Amino acid sequence: MNETLKRSISGAVYIVLLIASILYSTDSFFILFGIFLLIATFEFCNLVQINKIIPVLLAAGCFSLFYMISFAKEGVLFDLRFSKNFDLSVLFFTLFVFIKCIHFLFDNKAVKIDSFSKYVYLLGYIILPFIIITKIPFGKDGYNPKILISIFILIWTNDTFAYIVGKSIGRTKLFERISPKKTIEGFFGGVVFAVVVSYVIAKYYIEIAESNIYIWIIIAIIVGFFGTVGDLIESKFKRVAGVKDSGKIMPGHGGVLDRLDSVIFVAPIVFLFYQILNYVS
């Protein structure tokens, strides 16, 4: 089969599966992202060369625990205060590991990863971000699938136009040592188009008040910046491992980590932004 056709078909299947599971129900949403988490854990273990049994069990256990905490009725398993404290603890540990990931990205001497750091990355870079992703669609009014779908649309917009602009007018390399094809022009092009699309999403898809559209513009900027950082960090892990893709589950696209490297870095920052907004309001 033609490589372009193969890539198009697998990409279309991925997008349809993703959007359908998010829209259909909370159960299908959690099941799909639970499967994504297990596959991503398996792929990450291959990248950093650690035994897969304990990490996969840890991922499954953490995801199940979060599900119980999030959906237990007040007074049955956990009270709401515990649930909120749990969410904040997960967020702060994830952000701490993200700082470590950024240091790893810029560390020219990092040609291998020590055993302790492998498990820290596993927890804070893979497992907990997936848990935070499942928090994103839930607000004061319950489950709103439009929120997560909109974030994915912004990520796809940023990636697409960063590629198009970079291919067309890109001259200045963004981080050539890690990703030779990325350019500064492409980076800004992706952010600009994501901001434009965020306005359309906020006004015509989510249909929020005009005065709140700036919230989605900020989210678009977060997506453009931290999505690119997330992509570069995954590229650094692959470069250290000496591989092109994290896996082969998606023909022409690589593995689950290759497809979700941006969103697992964006989601915790968006969730932090939500917490700040709630605190201010």
Side-chain angles (χ1 to χ4, degrees):
M1 183 185 294
N2 179 277
E3 187 65 28
T4 302
L5 179 61
K6 185 192 301 183
R7 182 180 175 86
S8 299
I9 292 173
S10 64
V13 170
Y14 162 70
I15 291 173
V16 170
L17 179 64
L18 183 72
I19 293 178
S21 70
I22 294 172
L23 286 174
Y24 184 70
S25 70
T26 55
D27 288 336
S28 61
F29 164 60
F30 269 92
I31 288 171
L32 181 66
F33 276 86
I35 293 171
F36 279 165
L37 170 57
L38 295 180
I39 297 172
T41 300
F42 188 89
E43 291 176 352
F44 184 76
C45 289
N46 281 336
L47 285 181
V48 298
Q49 297 182 331
I50 55 177
N51 186 278
K52 302 173 186 65
I53 297 176
I54 293 177
V56 169
L57 291 176
L58 177 64
C62 288
F63 198 79
S64 300
L65 176 63
F66 163 75
Y67 184 85
M68 287 192 299
I69 290 174
S70 296
F71 291 94
K73 293 181 180 179
E74 185 176 1
V76 177
L77 289 176
F78 304 98
D79 64 30
L80 296 178
R81 184 181 301 173
F82 179 87
S83 178
K84 181 167 182 155
N85 290 338
F86 176 81
D87 291 344
L88 291 176
S89 298
V90 166
L91 176 60
F92 288 134
F93 180 78
T94 301
L95 294 176
F96 167 76
V97 176
F98 276 14
I99 293 171
K100 182 176 173 64
C101 286
I102 292 171
H103 177 266
F104 170 67
L105 174 62
F106 287 96
D107 185 1
N108 295 332
K109 299 178 182 178
V111 293
K112 67 177 184 177
I113 308 170
D114 64 84
S115 296
F116 177 74
S117 293
K118 289 177 181 180
Y119 286 95
V120 171
Y121 288 133
L122 171 70
L123 184 60
Y125 172 65
I126 302 295
I127 296 175
L128 297 185
F130 270 92
I131 288 175
I132 292 173
I133 289 171
T134 60
K135 291 288 296 181
I136 297 294
F138 292 90
K140 294 178 181 178
D141 300 322
Y143 182 63
N144 184 355
K146 289 184 177 181
I147 295 174
L148 189 58
I149 289 174
S150 297
I151 290 175
F152 271 104
I153 290 173
L154 291 178
I155 288 173
W156 296 332
T157 299
N158 179 72
D159 289 348
T160 300
F161 283 97
Y163 173 79
I164 292 173
V165 174
K167 190 90 171 172
S168 302
I169 62 173
R171 297 292 181 271
T172 313
K173 298 298 182 182
L174 179 66
F175 206 148
E176 189 171 14
R177 179 169 54 85
I178 300 299
S179 187
K181 294 182 180 180
K182 280 185 170 53
T183 65
I184 292 177
E185 294 86 354
F187 167 75
F188 282 109
V191 173
V192 168
F193 278 95
V195 167
V196 172
V197 171
S198 73
Y199 178 84
V200 176
I201 285 172
K203 189 170 180 64
Y204 300 106
Y205 181 54
I206 298 181
E207 298 179 336
I208 62 177
E210 188 80 27
S211 59
N212 290 329
I213 287 178
Y214 75 91
I215 291 175
W216 275 93
I217 291 175
I218 294 173
I219 290 175
I221 295 171
I222 290 172
V223 164
F225 181 80
F226 287 99
T228 302
V229 173
D231 183 71
L232 288 170
I233 287 171
E234 201 238 352
S235 295
K236 177 66 179 282
F237 278 112
K238 290 189 292 187
R239 187 166 290 272
V240 170
V243 298
K244 181 179 180 292
D245 297 315
S246 67
K248 299 180 180 179
I249 195 169
M250 293 179 61
H253 290 272
V256 166
L257 268 182
D258 294 318
R259 292 302 90 213
L260 298 177
D261 55 0
S262 293
V263 73
I264 63 175
F265 215 83
V266 163
I269 309 300
V270 171
F271 190 61
L272 173 64
F273 179 54
Y274 278 177
Q275 303 311 306
I276 294 171
L277 285 178
N278 289 335
Y279 179 78
V280 171
S281 61

